[in-house]
Amino acid sequence: MSVSDIGSRVPPGQRLTTGFPVLHHGEVPYYEDLSRWDLKLFGLVEEEATIPFDEFMSLPRREFVNDIHCVTTWSKLDNVWEGVAVSTVMERVKLKPEAKYVMLHAEHGWTTNLPLEDFLRETSFFGLKHNGETLTPEHGYPVRMVVPHLYFWKSAKWLRGVEFRATDKPGFWERNGYHMYGDPFLEQRYDFD
Ligand SMILES: Nc1nc2c(c(=O)[nH]1)N[C@H]1C(S)=C(S)[C@@H](COP(=O)(O)O)O[C@H]1N2
Ligand SMILES: [Mo]
C-alpha cells in the first residue's frame, strides 16, 4: 500500500498507533458466571428478545477488517476481527417503523447513541475476537459493538443491550460534551464541532 493510500485512511488530526490503547470510564467487568450474561434487544420492536451467552456464542461469525479512530487522536489500521453481523442478531426482532435511533447499553449503565442506519450498516458488528485473540476483559469481553465509521467511543465494550428509539438521546460521553454523531473524517469530536 502506498503512503498516499494510508494518508486517505487517516482522518484529520489523527496519528497512527500500532498498539491497542485501552480507554474507558469506570471498572472493567470480570465475569465469573457467564450463564447470567445476556444481550437484550428492546424498545421499538414488536417483541423484545433476550439472547443468552451460549446462544450468542453459537451464532454464525464472520471476519471483518477495518480501521478504528479514537477521539483522543489515535487511529489503528487493518484490524482483523471475528464477529457476528448485525443482520444476524436482527433476525431475532422485528423493528417498529418508528425506530430511527439506537442506544447501546453496556455494563454499569454506560451508554452511547447512534442513528439506526449506522447501527445497521454492513460494516458494523458485534465483536468477539481482535487480531486472532478473544477480546480481553479490558477491550470488552465477551461482546463489544464495533462501529468503525464513527469515533471509537461509539463502539460500546461489555455490551448488554440494544435499545431501539424514535428519537436521538445523548449517551454517556455525548452528555459530557462529545458529538452526537462522531464522524472522524468530519472531526465531529465535541458537541460544538
Ligand atoms: N462500556 C464502555 N464502552 C466503551 C467505553 C466505555 O467507557 N465503556 N469507552 C469508549 C471509548 S471512549 C473508546 S476510545 C473505546 C476504546 O476501546 P479500547 O479500550 O478497546 O481501545 O471504547 C469505547 N467503548
Ligand atoms: Mo475514546
Side-chain angles (χ1 to χ4, degrees):
M1 183 170 44
S2 75
V3 171
S4 65
D5 286 340
I6 293 181
S8 68
R9 288 167 63 187
V10 183
Q14 296 292 109
R15 55 196 163 68
L16 294 181
T17 180
T18 50
F20 194 3
V22 169
L23 266 120
H24 51 258
H25 174 84
E27 302 272 301
V28 174
Y30 292 94
Y31 297 92
E32 279 167 23
D33 182 6
L34 281 161
S35 70
R36 284 194 292 202
W37 184 97
D38 57 23
L39 183 74
K40 288 198 161 56
L41 308 172
F42 64 103
L44 293 173
V45 288
E46 296 298 337
E47 225 178 298
E48 298 188 344
T50 299
I51 310 178
F53 181 75
D54 289 344
E55 213 175 303
F56 199 95
M57 292 301 131
S58 66
L59 292 175
R61 300 181 186 189
R62 266 187 40 203
E63 184 177 282
F64 295 84
V65 180
N66 60 29
D67 300 336
I68 55 183
H69 310 292
C70 174
V71 73
T72 63
T73 75
W74 57 268
S75 288
K76 182 174 173 60
L77 304 183
D78 302 316
N79 300 278
V80 181
W81 304 83
E82 189 174 294
V84 176
V86 172
S87 56
T88 301
V89 170
M90 292 304 288
E91 286 170 15
R92 304 299 175 105
V93 285
K94 190 169 184 302
L95 285 178
K96 292 191 175 170
E98 311 89 89
K100 294 287 184 289
Y101 292 90
V102 162
M103 185 71 84
L104 301 175
H105 293 260
E107 281 314 330
H108 312 315
W110 190 91
T111 52
T112 190
N113 57 297
L114 69 166
L116 175 66
E117 63 173 288
D118 294 80
F119 170 76
L120 295 177
R121 217 179 259 214
E122 291 222 347
T123 49
S124 303
F125 60 95
F126 298 86
L128 302 168
K129 290 187 173 189
H130 178 266
N131 290 350
E133 307 287 341
T134 297
L135 290 178
T136 60
E138 291 73 22
H139 286 297
Y141 178 82
V143 178
R144 81 175 299 162
M145 197 68 212
V146 182
V147 184
H149 69 284
L150 300 178
Y151 279 123
F152 207 36
W153 89 77
K154 300 284 183 181
S155 292
K157 304 195 275 193
W158 317 298
L159 188 68
R160 292 298 303 275
V162 182
E163 179 189 359
F164 299 94
R165 302 174 44 86
T167 55
D168 202 6
K169 180 180 155 186
F172 178 81
W173 283 119
E174 295 82 4
R175 280 197 305 276
N176 288 280
Y178 280 26
H179 200 276
M180 286 293 271
Y181 185 62
D183 182 336
F185 288 90
L186 299 177
E187 279 210 86
Q188 294 174 337
R189 298 176 191 274
Y190 309 107
D191 53 10
F192 51 79
D193 285 332

